Amino acid sequence: MGRAAATGGGCSGARRWLPWLGLCFWAAGAAAARGTDNGEALPESIPSAPGTLPHFIEEPDDAYIIKSNPIALRCKARPAMQIFFKCNGEWVHQNEHVSEESLDESSGLKVREVFINVTRQQVEDFHGPEDYWCQCVAWSHLGTSKSRKASVRIAYLRKNFEQDPQGREVPIEGMIVLHCRPPEGVPAAEVEWLKNEEPIDSEQDENIDTRADHNLIIRQARLSDSGNYTCMAANIVAKRRSLSATVVVYVNGGWSSWTEWSACNVRCGRGWQKRSRTCTNPAPLNGGAFCEGMSVQKITCTSLCPVDGSWEVWSEWSVCSPECEHLRIRECTAPPPRNGGKFCEGLSQESENCTDGLCILDKKPLHEIKPQRWSRRGIENASDIALYSGLGAAVVAVAVLVIGVTLYRRSQSDYGVDVIDSSALTGGFQTFNFKTVRQGNSLLLNSAMQPDLTVSRTYSGPICLQDPLDKELMTESSLFNPLSDIKVKVQSSFMVSLGVSERAEYHGKNHSRTFPHGNNHSFSTMHPRNKTPYIQNLSSLPTRTELRTTGVFGHLGGRLVMPNTGVSLLIPHGAIPEENSWEIYMSINQGEPSLQSDGSEVLLSPEVTCGPPDMIVTTPFALTIPHCADVSSEHWNIHLKKRTQQGKWEEVMSVEDESTSCYCLLDPFACHVLLDSFGTYALTGEPITDCAVKQLKVAVFGCMSCNSLDYNLRVYCVDNTPCAFQEVVSDERHQGGQLLEEPKLLHFKGNTFSLQISVLDIPPFLWRIKPFTACQEVPFSRVWCSNRQPLHCAFSLERYTPTTTQLSCKICIRQLKGHEQILQVQTSILESERETITFFAQEDSTFPAQTGPKAFKIPYSIRQRICATFDTPNAKGKDWQMLAQKNSINRNLSYFATQSSPSAVILNLWEARHQHDGDLDSLACALEEIGRTHTKLSNISESQLDEADFNYSRQNGL
């Protein structure tokens, strides 16, 4: 071609030189120099207007090769005699072109369209500094025109995202930014966002922007924006999904407005009033923080007591009036009624005759009027006689009725000795008249042994016969010698029956130190395998559905204990006025709890009732209630609640509250409450986080079934309170169950995960368990909100042969994603082969009621000295506040400041906390650290103590 151009375009023979193409063609349609013999022939003449260059109607576009599929590049121009493609600077062979020719009707110019295919192999084989490209070149009479370069690339999309979106927890109205960097790809991937698998349209929601670098931006978070977000990347090759990102929009709690102050809770004297607010403005949602601060505020209040009016003394008689009468008056001003008190009853004016017959009335001598007056007075006397006669008859009828009821109750009594109770007349102090025993009573231990019928003794004193002198008086008589099991059973507040009891009674039970002599201490049994006295023998526990105990207390105070339940009541010295005594009772509700939980609230303790409710104490008493919470202020919000007379429950205080009306001290297993009024109390808890833990006691019991080859295992999970486990043991005793392993504690979290109980390591070829029953699962809600009702799972094991008498296996109790406990069972299924050892029961099972100095660990004289020392303020700060601090009482000190003797109340709280150990050494060490004493209480010489304290100290080993 270079030579043709140099010769001015000369072509030999039939070839024609085309300067605009730079090629020689045959005259009759010769093929192009790079073409073949069957190439397209050029027309003899071009009907286009002279001087027109080719114009591209369609130029080749950039293209992508998907997998192994070739792509087609298209080019169209007019007027065009020829069109060829040039790729990467080289001409594409004419055979690879597909050409079409047409005529433009509007202009009459010739239009030519050309196609070529580009394969994946061609693109992969090209190794140049830039992408594979192709370009069209079109010829006309005037010259050539070139199209744009079209690049051809192999399309792909990587699998992994360069950055996946990450989950977020944002407060409401906060900004949410989710970053997404799609996988590398050609062409670049387009990003689309999904929320809960639904596409997000940012054009319809102005609050959402998805245009900035593939990121998702939510300007102000709403609750509806919570969900799972996914980033979708796609191009012409494939689609890719990112990992889902969970977005949680939470709401922090906000306090509502304070309510108005309530009315003072007492109508007379000092009380308290409160106001409350709720964490509902807004309420915390989706894990938002609970409100900080107190939900209840309490302040003391004083209500003016109503004062009833009283009459002044009568005035002097007035002068005698013309009507022969004189007057005298009195006023209701000593004192006048105030604060709603009653007005004086009676007349404020009185008149009578003042002349003794010397005065003339209506011009008649007075002695003539007298007969008429005497006749009227006679009529009045007759009516009085009738009135008194009626009252006398009524009194006689009531007396006959009382005698009849008394005789009937004596005839129906199941006891051999009657006790006449006069507590209604003597204010709590009774006269006991011990009469002879009726013959033929089947309740006597030895009916053949006849009692001494001549013996009779009268005893006056309180119901709780615990004074040593009283013991000697009671045991002098030979009446009690044949009866070794005499108990006192209080049937009501007005009747006491003395008889033989077949089983332990909590209701008014007297311990063995009261009377008679010779009673043995109660003991229990257990298996020998590293056991502790914690396991109770099944036969030593009561079967009553309601636990109740009573005692009579006076000015000296005392302690009332519910055996084996952890519930106790401490009446301080001086809390009851002198010369007064009260019969105080305490009970535990073992039925369905009357306190219904609200929302996430959980019952953590038994419902404890103490009374009488109308009793007034001058010093706060201490009530100890066991609970099952793993104490932590970070995870629990624990409340003390009280049941009203209408049966509703109201909050007294939160354990963390500052209050001057009552005080709560929370120990790991019990709560000690200082109160001024009796009633029904319980502890509830609101879990603040999922880490809140309830302590459960897990135990396994076993017994033979009706089928001699079967053996039943029952696994219990109950709240870790003594009374809850006592109820389980009582039920198992009736079913013939045997405690197989020492109970263990399981920490059950409030994380909504269920509880699994399974039997493991069953000896093969000896025992078998029914298929698919070796593992049982208990839902979370049933365990978390059990409300002290026993929860158990039963497993039935079967022996292959009757000769198998030993059973060993493991019981696994675990919470999913939580704590786990293993109970190792190794026992004989035959009663005769079980080995047992004896041990003493809990300390509080022996003394349900103690009165006077014996009920307290600190001798009274030492207590007085401590109070006198620490109640006086000291410039060095060594006063009652330091005493409280050394005894781990660091909160709500304002409560003690309102008491007349703060040190006495602190010591009362110490007595309640140490009723079992009585660790006086620790108290002495605390006093020594303060610097007020330098000698331990346990080493104080006996000469320093009062006589009563001396006797008490010797009994307790001080």
Side-chain angles (χ1 to χ4, degrees), residues 831-851:
E831 291 286 344
S832 60
E833 297 183 4
R834 291 201 183 106
E835 296 182 3
T836 57
I837 61 174
T838 60
F839 66 94
F840 286 99
Q842 286 182 336
E843 179 183 355
D844 59 2
S845 63
T846 310
F847 305 100
Q850 294 178 300
T851 60

Side-chain angles (χ1 to χ4, degrees), residues 557-573:
R559 191 190 304 269
L560 189 62
V561 178
M562 189 76 70
N564 301 319
T565 63
V567 178
S568 63
L569 182 68
L570 182 75
I571 307 296
H573 181 282

Side-chain angles (χ1 to χ4, degrees), residues 660-676:
T660 58
S661 60
C662 66
Y663 187 89
C664 288
L665 181 61
L666 200 63
D667 279 346
F669 298 101
C671 183
H672 310 282
V673 189
L674 298 177
L675 298 165
D676 293 326

Side-chain angles (χ1 to χ4, degrees), residues 722-742:
C723 52
F725 185 67
Q726 177 176 309
E727 183 178 354
V728 170
V729 176
S730 178
D731 293 340
E732 280 294 323
R733 184 187 65 177
H734 290 291
Q735 301 181 44
Q738 176 72 27
L739 186 61
L740 303 181
E741 171 66 359
E742 177 184 352

Side-chain angles (χ1 to χ4, degrees), residues 568-646:
S568 63
L569 182 68
L570 182 75
I571 307 296
H573 181 282
I576 301 176
E578 294 187 19
E579 300 181 358
N580 286 348
S581 63
W582 286 85
E583 181 183 2
I584 297 177
Y585 63 86
M586 187 166 59
S587 65
I588 297 177
N589 177 24
Q590 284 196 305
E592 186 68 23
S594 61
L595 196 160
Q596 300 300 324
S597 301
D598 297 332
S600 61
E601 194 174 51
V602 180
L603 183 62
L604 298 177
S605 75
E607 297 175 3
V608 179
T609 302
C610 53
D614 56 345
M615 176 180 172
I616 300 176
V617 293
T618 59
T619 302
F621 62 89
L623 178 63
T624 299
I625 305 176
H627 65 82
C628 61
D630 191 358
V631 180
S632 174
S633 59
E634 298 178 357
H635 307 310
W636 281 106
N637 188 11
I638 299 178
H639 307 273
L640 176 68
K641 291 197 173 184
K642 180 181 181 181
R643 187 171 62 190
T644 63
Q645 295 180 353
Q646 293 76 21

Side-chain angles (χ1 to χ4, degrees), residues 517-791:
H517 291 294
N519 280 1
N520 295 326
H521 294 288
S522 61
F523 64 92
S524 303
T525 61
M526 60 175 255
H527 288 287
R529 206 173 53 257
N530 192 23
K531 305 299 182 185
T532 65
Y534 189 80
I535 305 178
Q536 302 297 324
N537 182 19
L538 302 183
S539 62
S540 68
L541 294 173
T543 60
R544 301 177 62 92
T545 57
E546 181 190 37
L547 298 180
R548 182 181 176 90
T549 184
T550 61
V552 174
F553 298 89
H555 182 69
L556 296 180
R559 191 190 304 269
L560 189 62
V561 178
M562 189 76 70
N564 301 319
T565 63
V567 178
S568 63
L569 182 68
L570 182 75
I571 307 296
H573 181 282
I576 301 176
E578 294 187 19
E579 300 181 358
N580 286 348
S581 63
W582 286 85
E583 181 183 2
I584 297 177
Y585 63 86
M586 187 166 59
S587 65
I588 297 177
N589 177 24
Q590 284 196 305
E592 186 68 23
S594 61
L595 196 160
Q596 300 300 324
S597 301
D598 297 332
S600 61
E601 194 174 51
V602 180
L603 183 62
L604 298 177
S605 75
E607 297 175 3
V608 179
T609 302
C610 53
D614 56 345
M615 176 180 172
I616 300 176
V617 293
T618 59
T619 302
F621 62 89
L623 178 63
T624 299
I625 305 176
H627 65 82
C628 61
D630 191 358
V631 180
S632 174
S633 59
E634 298 178 357
H635 307 310
W636 281 106
N637 188 11
I638 299 178
H639 307 273
L640 176 68
K641 291 197 173 184
K642 180 181 181 181
R643 187 171 62 190
T644 63
Q645 295 180 353
Q646 293 76 21
K648 297 182 179 180
W649 288 85
E650 64 177 13
E651 181 179 336
V652 178
M653 69 174 295
S654 174
V655 173
E656 300 297 325
D657 279 353
E658 299 286 331
S659 174
T660 58
S661 60
C662 66
Y663 187 89
C664 288
L665 181 61
L666 200 63
D667 279 346
F669 298 101
C671 183
H672 310 282
V673 189
L674 298 177
L675 298 165
D676 293 326
S677 61
F678 290 92
T680 301
Y681 296 90
L683 292 175
T684 63
E686 290 181 84
I688 301 176
T689 67
D690 290 345
C691 296
V693 172
K694 276 183 65 176
Q695 293 182 346
L696 302 181
K697 183 173 295 182
V698 294
V700 57
F701 291 81
C703 69
M704 296 290 294
S705 65
C706 297
N707 184 351
S708 60
L709 293 179
D710 290 348
Y711 192 77
N712 294 328
L713 294 177
R714 288 184 290 273
V715 182
Y716 288 84
C717 299
V718 297
D719 292 347
N720 184 31
T721 57
C723 52
F725 185 67
Q726 177 176 309
E727 183 178 354
V728 170
V729 176
S730 178
D731 293 340
E732 280 294 323
R733 184 187 65 177
H734 290 291
Q735 301 181 44
Q738 176 72 27
L739 186 61
L740 303 181
E741 171 66 359
E742 177 184 352
K744 294 185 178 181
L745 287 184
L746 179 73
H747 299 284
F748 191 80
K749 290 185 178 181
N751 56 8
T752 70
F753 287 99
S754 59
L755 185 73
Q756 282 187 351
I757 303 176
S758 55
V759 181
L760 307 175
D761 297 345
I762 300 176
F765 310 113
L766 296 177
W767 293 87
R768 62 185 173 189
I769 190 170
K770 186 177 180 181
F772 309 110
T773 62
C775 181
Q776 302 184 31
E777 187 166 338
V778 184
F780 169 82
S781 58
R782 189 178 175 194
V783 181
W784 189 254
C785 302
S786 61
N787 289 339
R788 296 194 310 105
Q789 299 304 311
L791 177 82

Side-chain angles (χ1 to χ4, degrees), residues 68 123 133 158 209 263 286 300 322 367 438 581 583 689 755 952:
S68 298
V123 177
W133 59 269
R158 306 288 185 199
D209 185 6
N286 298 336
T300 58
H367 65 274
R438 291 189 290 270
S581 63
E583 181 183 2
T689 67
L755 185 73
Y952 169 80

Side-chain angles (χ1 to χ4, degrees), residues 244-260:
S244 294
T246 301
V247 173
V248 177
V249 180
Y250 62 85
V251 179
N252 292 325
W255 289 114
S256 64
S257 301
W258 288 103
T259 61
E260 297 293 332

